[in-house]
Amino acid sequence: TARQLLEEALGSLRVALAYDHASGDLSPTDDRNNRFDPLFGARRFDLTPTGLFGALPRSNLRAAALRAELTLPRGVDVTLVWRAAWLASATDGWSAGGLRDPSGASGTMLGHQPEARVRWAVRPGNLALEVGGAGLLRGAFARQAPSGGDAPGLYLYTQLTATL
């Protein structure tokens, strides 16, 4: 029945809070770079649904997220994330946006990044379909920094994985 399906799905609900901090450069004039450098690594599990959408790189960043994951019957799982992001240092730049306000007057709020993903195991172990997306709702820094703007970022994707 529908009630049993709902009870089964809610029994698989997982909710998590996350916080990320990657330092930024403290002063643009001191000839020292204090910015965290991630070097290499996959970004998908970090702060974005896929490596192609990198609005929030792990550099000069403070981010808090609420994440909900739900496994439904028939091989379907859903992930929803709401992330708020700020610059770690107001005088350092936002590398993904190419923006910097050395005076720090534009604040630190980069914005909010909602994400959603639905994955369906069409043939478990052999074929999976994934549909998802993320957006960036620009905050004060992203709007007010020199060359900033109001336009939100939007990324949508579909993925089909075949395992032989």
Side-chain angles (χ1 to χ4, degrees), residues 18-110:
Y19 179 77
D20 293 276
H21 182 96
S23 62
D25 191 23
L26 300 175
S27 171
T29 61
D30 67 0
D31 294 328
R32 292 177 51 195
N33 185 351
N34 311 106
R35 184 184 303 152
F36 176 76
D37 183 354
L39 295 176
F40 305 105
R43 292 193 322 198
R44 180 181 178 113
F45 57 85
D46 276 349
L47 305 165
T48 184
T50 174
L52 296 176
F53 182 73
L56 302 175
R58 195 176 291 275
S59 182
N60 191 31
L61 181 75
R62 291 181 299 120
L66 175 62
R67 179 182 191 95
E69 298 172 352
L70 182 63
T71 302
L72 300 169
R74 297 181 180 86
V76 176
D77 67 85
V78 179
T79 300
L80 301 171
V81 181
W82 189 274
R83 185 178 319 278
W86 300 264
L87 295 175
S89 170
T91 57
D92 195 2
W94 174 34
S95 59
L99 302 176
R100 184 173 192 160
D101 182 355
S103 73
S106 298
T108 60
M109 183 61 180
L110 290 172

